[in-house]
């Protein structure tokens, strides 16, 4: 019998689209894990020997060519993700992978005809069918899919720890775990999957672990791994070995292979002792690179001897190493996989979640909501409620909701089927930020961060990783306060963002943005930090780069590895950026100060100014006074009222929708003397419900008011 140590887990390293072996680094994990398991449980060695003895006896009477009754294997797929679901695999992907697995085992794979004539007589189908479970361990309806969020989805250590995040009894279900990453290497190769041999025990770690990117339609890694779970070894096991019946992979119809390879070289012949021990080929033949238990990219077959080994394992009644308990009639009934099999069960959804296409909008804009990560059923019913939205409830699959009033709003969602709704409903608070279409500030504007309340109300901090921007009294250029990122304690690629209130620069000639900063590079290391200034004209929904400042450009003090704090105003720099024509013509602009760490020190900001070469002074005479819209909200007509302090040569008043499209012109370029005026907005035409904006342009000085029609 076989004397070399059993490989308990297969590591497949992927390079580009082909299976690729990396013999360094993680390649040694197989032997290491074998030694660990044997040290933990020395009985594994004897269990392996007992199973090999059983297979030898089984093969004496088993005919791998004769048609047998189909063995049904109940399957559960545990999709374990982290940080919002990078490893998420859809129900369709899972079903497609199971379909590929069944094709490969039944030899219905589209490339079965690619098996070379030499090996075609020994290529075989297996009387095995894999079915996703339809009853969970508690007898509830299931699609055979479980979704769990855990940091163990990313490079778990020890690797088998991820299996404890979700597990169903492996004597009743064949467990498959799909995760983000098993292990990766600096050269870009990574582990695509690994399996556990049955001789290690049909226990709570038995099954296959796969990475999400190698799981789906047409993927063959799972076929290979399930082969290991059913007690198949690599075709290159023990290199050329000795007698084919007692060494290598124990399969005489798979010629011995010296070592793993990856391309499809059909002339490859790495061993010359093929005819030892009962080979059916009668002499030295080429390597069987099309075998699923090779690493070659042209895999398309299992052999008759491999079928015998797998069928023996599946027929073994040993409670330690046998799999007969998986497919007996009682277990098929328990797991809901017996005939007639329900290919589309109607279950109550589990694990409801939802997504949305925007997090920031201006008043009057719309957000589309959609189901995501709901599993155990495909929803056919949807129950939504929206705080601050219009409508405030919906039964649509992907409702489109309008937000007409500034604020921060949440939503609640429960998916359902005819079997029932998921409970409790999933609620998310403050997920949609709605900003006024009217800018918070006209120009010129200056903020030296002296008013804590104003800072907390006006500025938004969004940190992707690392330490935040924060208000500080440790240093300032003007007054006693500024904002700081303690960047000395951040890690490379940490990002924090400081978002300004909104400004209206349209009344300025050549508007500009200026700020003061204090920064020191590190005395050692790269200190290649970046401060990127972005602008947004759609309330923060999208951003465009205004300018980028590098560490060298920002440096305003001597390099130091200690925490940097400016000693005085001489250690500050002033930056001024002229705004583009597009920003200059916008009536609602905000800025984002985006700091990306790359080994630098603390950064301070102060004196954020937005101004123009010919500004409208704060106290400059304005021609409009007491501009109002009433009633507001309204159900039908509405009116505007305003006072003119002086004669206007060119007055234009227009009603626009949320997209800026002009609905009607109330006044079109006429002159008006001073006085009080009242006008109908819709001029007798009933307005549809929604949000509108009234633009009052008096000699190119613009005022905007909103109108809500219910």
């Amino acid at each position: 019998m076989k004397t070399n140590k059993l490989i308990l887990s297969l590591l497949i390293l992927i390079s580009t689209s082909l299976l690729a072996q990396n013999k360094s680094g993680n390649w040694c994990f197989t032997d290491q894990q074998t030694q660990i398991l044997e040290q933990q449980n020395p009985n594994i060695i004897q269990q392996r020997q007992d199973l090999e003895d059983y297979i030898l006896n089984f093969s004496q009477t088993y005919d791998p060519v004769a048609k047998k009754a189909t063995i049904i294997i109940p399957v559960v797929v545990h999709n374990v993700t982290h940080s919002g679901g990078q490893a998420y695999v859809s129900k369709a992907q899972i079903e497609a992978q199971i379909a590929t697995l069944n094709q490969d085992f039944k030899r219905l794979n589209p490339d079965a005809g690619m098996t070379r004539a030499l090996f075609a007589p020994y290529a075989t189908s297996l009387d095995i069918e894999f079915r996703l479970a339809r009853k969970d361990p508690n007898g509830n309806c299931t699609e055979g899919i479980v979704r769990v969020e855990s940091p163990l989805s990313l490079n778990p250590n020890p690797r088998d720890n991820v299996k404890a995040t979700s597990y169903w009894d492996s004597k009743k279900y064949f467990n498959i775990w799909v995760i983000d990453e098993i292990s990766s290497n600096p050269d870009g190769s990574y582990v695509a999957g690994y399996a556990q041999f049955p001789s290690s025990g049909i226990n709570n770690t038995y099954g296959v672990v796969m990475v999400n990117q190698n799981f789906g339609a047409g993927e063959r890694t799972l076929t290979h791994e399930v082969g290991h779970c059913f007690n198949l070894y690599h075709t290159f096991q023990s290199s050329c070995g000795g007698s084919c019946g007692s060494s290598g992979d124990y399969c005489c119809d798979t010629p011995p292979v010296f070592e793993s390879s990856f391309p499809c070289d059909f002339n490859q012949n790495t061993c010359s002792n093929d005819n030892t021990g009962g080979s059916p080929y009668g002499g030295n033949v080429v390597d069987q690179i099309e075998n699923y238990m090779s690493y070659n990219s042209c895999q398309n077959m299992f052999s008759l001897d491999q079928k015998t080994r797998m069928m023996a394992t599946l027929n073994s009644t040993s409670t330690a190493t046998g799999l007969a308990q998986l497919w007996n009639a009682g277990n098929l009934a328990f797991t809901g996989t017996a005939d007639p099999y329900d290919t589309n069960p109607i279950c109550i959804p589990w694990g409801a979640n939802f997504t949305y296409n925007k997090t920031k909008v201006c008043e009057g804009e719309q957000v589309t909501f959609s189901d995501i990560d709901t599993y155990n059923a495909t929803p056919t019913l949807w129950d939504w409620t929206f705080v601050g939205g219009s409508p405030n409830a919906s039964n649509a699959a992907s409702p489109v909701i309008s937000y007409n009033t500034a604020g921060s709003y949440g939503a609640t969602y429960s998916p359902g089927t005819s079997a029932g709704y998921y409970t409790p409903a999933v609620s998310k608070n403050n997920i949609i930020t709605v900003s006024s279409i009217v800018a918070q500030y006209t120009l010129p504007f200056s903020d030296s961060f002296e008013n804590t309340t104003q800072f907390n109300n006006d500025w938004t901090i969004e940190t992707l990783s690392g330490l935040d921007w924060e208000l500080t009294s440790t240093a300032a250029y003007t007054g006693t306060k500024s904002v700081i990122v303690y960047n000395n304690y951040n890690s490379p690629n940490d990002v924090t963002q400081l978002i300004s209130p909104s400004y209206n620069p349209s009344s300025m000639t050549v508007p500009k943005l200026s700020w003061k900063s204090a920064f020191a590079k590190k005395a050692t290391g790269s200190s290649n930090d970046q401060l990127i200034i972005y602008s947004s004209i759609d309330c923060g929904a999208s951003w465009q780069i205004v300018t980028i400042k590098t560490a060298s450009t920002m440096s305003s003090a001597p390099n130091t590895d200690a925490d940097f704090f400016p000693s005085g105003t001489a250690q500050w720099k002033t930056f001024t950026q002229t705004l583009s024509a597009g920003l200059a013509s916008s009536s609602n602009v905000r800025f984002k100060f985006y700091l990306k760490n790359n080994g630098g020190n603390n950064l301070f900001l102060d004196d954020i100014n937005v101004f123009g070469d010919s500004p409208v002074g704060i106290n400059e005479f304005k021609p409009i006074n007491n501009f109002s819209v009433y009633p507001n909200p309204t159900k039908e007509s509405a009116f505007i009222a305003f006072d003119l302090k002086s004669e206007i040569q060119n007055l234009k008043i227009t009603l626009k929708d949320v997209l800026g499209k002009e609905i009607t012109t109330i006044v079109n370029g006429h002159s008006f003397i001073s006085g009080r005026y009242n006008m109908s907005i819709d001029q007798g035409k009933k307005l549809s419900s929604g949000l509108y904006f009234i633009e009052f342009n008096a000699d190119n000085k613009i005022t905007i008011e909103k109108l809500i029609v219910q």
Side-chain angles (χ1 to χ4, degrees):
M1 301 304 293
K2 186 174 180 180
T3 58
N4 64 304
K5 290 184 178 180
L6 174 65
I7 298 179
L8 296 171
S9 306
L10 170 71
L11 298 181
I12 294 182
L13 300 169
I14 300 295
S15 175
T16 64
S17 62
L18 302 179
L19 293 171
Q21 175 185 358
N22 183 338
K23 291 187 177 180
S24 62
N26 289 331
W27 177 250
C28 297
F29 167 70
T30 300
D31 290 337
Q32 294 169 2
Q33 184 71 0
T34 301
Q35 292 172 5
I36 291 171
L37 291 176
E38 289 180 348
Q39 289 170 0
Q40 293 173 344
N41 182 13
N43 291 331
I44 290 175
I45 300 173
Q46 185 59 50
Q47 288 175 179
R48 180 175 69 247
Q49 184 65 54
D50 292 343
L51 184 56
E52 292 298 338
D53 291 342
Y54 175 83
I55 293 171
L56 181 61
N57 291 330
F58 181 89
S59 65
Q60 304 304 312
T61 57
Y62 179 75
D63 179 4
V65 177
K67 179 68 176 177
K68 308 291 193 306
T70 299
I71 290 176
I72 296 171
I73 305 296
V75 175
V76 57
V77 175
H78 310 274
N79 187 195
V80 187
T81 65
H82 84 290
S83 301
Q86 287 87 339
Y88 177 83
V89 287
S90 68
K91 176 186 174 183
Q93 284 178 273
I94 292 170
E95 290 177 336
Q97 174 66 89
I98 298 301
T100 296
L101 186 65
N102 280 322
Q103 285 180 343
D104 290 348
F105 269 75
K106 294 179 180 180
R107 194 157 172 76
L108 297 175
N109 47 302
D111 55 354
M114 300 298 293
T115 304
R116 286 172 289 180
L118 172 67
F119 300 123
Y122 306 98
T124 185
S125 64
L126 285 94
D127 307 310
I128 296 174
E129 182 178 343
F130 299 88
R131 292 180 178 178
L132 288 166
R134 294 300 180 238
K135 291 183 181 180
D136 72 8
N138 296 317
N140 298 317
C141 178
T142 181
E143 292 184 334
I145 302 168
V146 181
R147 301 196 187 279
V148 179
E149 186 164 324
S150 170
L152 291 173
S153 176
L154 185 63
N155 195 23
N157 186 21
R159 288 179 177 84
D160 273 355
N161 282 3
V162 70
K163 298 176 180 178
T165 61
S166 180
Y167 164 76
W168 291 4
D169 186 352
S170 57
K171 289 183 171 62
K172 297 181 180 297
Y173 304 88
F174 185 79
N175 288 268
I176 300 171
W177 293 268
V178 184
I179 69 175
D180 284 275
E181 182 178 291
I182 298 169
S183 183
S184 61
N185 298 299
D187 63 0
S189 61
Y190 61 91
V191 179
Y194 72 96
Q196 180 171 315
F197 281 85
S199 54
S200 299
I202 311 303
N203 50 32
N204 58 6
T205 58
Y206 179 71
V208 174
V209 178
M210 297 284 301
V211 294
N212 63 305
Q213 58 190 314
N214 290 93
F215 192 86
E219 291 288 346
R220 287 253 166 86
T221 306
L222 183 62
T223 302
H224 183 112
E225 302 299 349
V226 173
H228 284 302
C229 281
F230 290 176
N231 213 33
L232 294 187
Y233 300 114
H234 293 128
T235 55
F236 51 87
Q237 197 79 24
S238 303
S239 295
C240 294
S243 173
C244 65
S246 59
S247 68
D249 65 351
Y250 291 154
C251 297
C252 285
D253 57 5
T254 62
V257 179
F258 179 69
E259 62 182 355
S260 61
S261 62
F262 314 103
C264 289
D265 178 2
F266 291 105
N267 295 315
Q268 177 178 304
N269 186 358
T270 58
C271 293
S272 58
N273 61 329
D274 300 15
N275 201 31
T276 57
S279 168
Y281 300 107
N284 181 29
V285 296
V286 293
D287 296 346
Q288 196 179 90
I289 59 175
E290 50 263 76
N291 195 284
Y292 288 128
M293 302 314 293
S294 74
Y295 276 1
N296 302 91
S297 59
C298 45
Q299 303 169 346
N300 60 53
M301 64 166 284
F302 285 118
S303 75
L304 291 170
D305 285 353
Q306 288 175 325
K307 178 178 181 178
T308 298
R309 287 186 62 81
M310 287 192 278
M311 286 300 180
T313 302
L314 287 168
N315 278 277
S316 171
T317 57
S318 167
T319 57
T321 61
L323 291 169
Q325 68 269 23
L326 263 184
W327 55 278
N328 67 51
N331 193 57
L332 297 185
F334 178 84
T335 58
T337 52
D339 289 324
Y341 177 62
D342 189 352
T343 58
N344 188 28
I346 300 176
C347 307
I348 297 175
W350 292 350
N353 198 359
F354 63 93
T355 187
Y356 29 91
N357 67 331
K358 298 176 184 176
T359 60
K360 293 180 174 63
V361 294
C362 296
E363 289 173 319
E365 292 186 340
Q366 297 176 324
V367 178
T368 300
F369 291 81
S370 302
D371 175 276
I372 188 174
D373 289 352
T374 295
Y375 70 96
N376 200 53
T378 300
T380 55
L381 302 171
W382 304 269
D383 185 9
W384 301 88
T385 57
F386 303 98
V387 178
S390 178
N392 61 7
S394 176
N395 297 119
S398 297
V400 179
I401 306 301
S402 298
Y403 289 91
N404 298 327
T405 305
S408 184
Y409 303 108
T412 299
Y413 172 57
S414 179
T417 65
S418 58
Y421 281 92
Y422 173 78
T423 56
V426 175
S427 294
K428 298 182 182 183
N429 300 320
N430 303 320
I431 55 175
I432 308 298
T433 300
V434 184
S435 298
S436 173
I437 195 68
V438 180
Q440 293 167 261
Y441 294 102
T442 56
L443 304 188
F445 174 85
S446 179
D447 193 345
S448 58
F449 303 112
E450 296 304 300
N451 188 321
T452 301
T453 301
Q454 180 178 329
F455 174 77
N456 292 334
N457 291 338
D458 286 356
W459 293 81
T460 302
I461 298 168
E462 294 183 352
T463 299
L464 306 184
S465 59
L467 298 176
D468 302 327
W469 289 96
E470 61 181 80
L471 199 63
T472 181
S473 299
T474 57
Y477 187 91
T478 299
T480 61
K481 296 178 182 177
S482 64
V483 289
I484 183 177
V485 177
Y486 286 97
N487 201 42
N488 197 27
Y489 299 95
N490 277 345
S491 301
N493 298 316
D494 280 346
V495 170
T496 184
Q497 305 170 119
L498 181 67
I499 301 173
S500 77
S502 56
Y503 312 104
N504 182 357
S506 63
S507 60
M508 308 299 291
T509 302
V510 193
K512 300 176 182 179
L513 169 69
S514 72
W515 68 94
K516 292 181 174 64
S517 67
F519 176 77
K521 295 175 67 175
K522 288 282 190 69
T524 57
S526 60
S527 286
N528 291 325
D529 295 23
Q530 284 187 328
L531 179 66
I532 306 175
I533 314 300
Y534 291 90
S535 66
S536 175
I537 59 174
D538 55 9
C539 300
S542 62
W543 297 91
Q544 298 76 40
I545 293 176
V546 174
T547 186
I548 300 175
K549 303 301 179 185
T550 63
S552 296
T553 303
M554 290 189 292
S555 181
S556 60
N559 298 353
T560 178
D561 287 331
D563 272 348
F564 166 67
F565 296 94
S567 59
T569 56
Q571 291 192 340
W572 290 76
K573 274 188 175 182
T574 300
F575 296 92
T576 301
Q577 180 70 37
T578 299
L579 303 182
S580 67
L583 293 179
S585 62
S586 176
S587 61
N588 191 316
V589 179
R590 64 189 66 218
F591 300 99
K592 176 166 66 178
F593 294 82
Y594 173 107
L595 177 64
K596 181 178 182 180
N597 178 283
N598 195 9
N601 216 311
N602 302 336
L603 174 65
F604 294 79
L605 290 181
D606 205 356
D607 291 357
I608 310 295
N609 297 310
V610 190
F611 60 97
D613 289 345
S614 302
V616 176
I618 294 177
N619 298 317
E620 183 176 345
F621 175 76
K622 296 181 180 179
I624 313 163
N625 196 21
N626 298 324
F627 182 31
S628 62
V629 182
Y630 66 95
N632 192 9
T634 182
K635 293 185 178 180
E636 294 183 354
S637 300
F639 300 86
I640 57 173
F642 57 90
D643 294 328
L644 294 181
K645 296 180 180 180
S646 62
E647 182 178 355
I648 299 298
Q649 297 300 316
N650 189 337
L651 177 64
K652 185 175 183 179
I653 306 176
T654 53
L655 179 70
K656 297 182 178 181
D657 64 15
V658 294
L659 300 177
K661 179 182 178 182
E662 189 172 300
I663 302 301
T664 186
T665 300
I666 304 166
V667 176
N668 190 11
H670 299 295
S671 62
F672 281 77
I673 63 173
S674 61
R676 178 71 175 174
Y677 293 88
N678 288 274
M679 298 178 182
S680 171
I681 289 176
D682 55 5
Q683 298 180 343
K685 299 178 182 178
K686 189 177 185 303
L687 296 172
S688 301
S689 60
L691 180 65
Y692 298 87
F693 298 98
I694 302 146
E695 184 180 281
F696 190 107
N697 187 329
D699 291 341
N700 296 320
K701 297 177 178 62
I702 297 174
T703 300
I704 296 175
E705 290 290 338
K706 68 179 179 180
L707 169 66
I708 298 174
V709 178
Q710 297 177 332

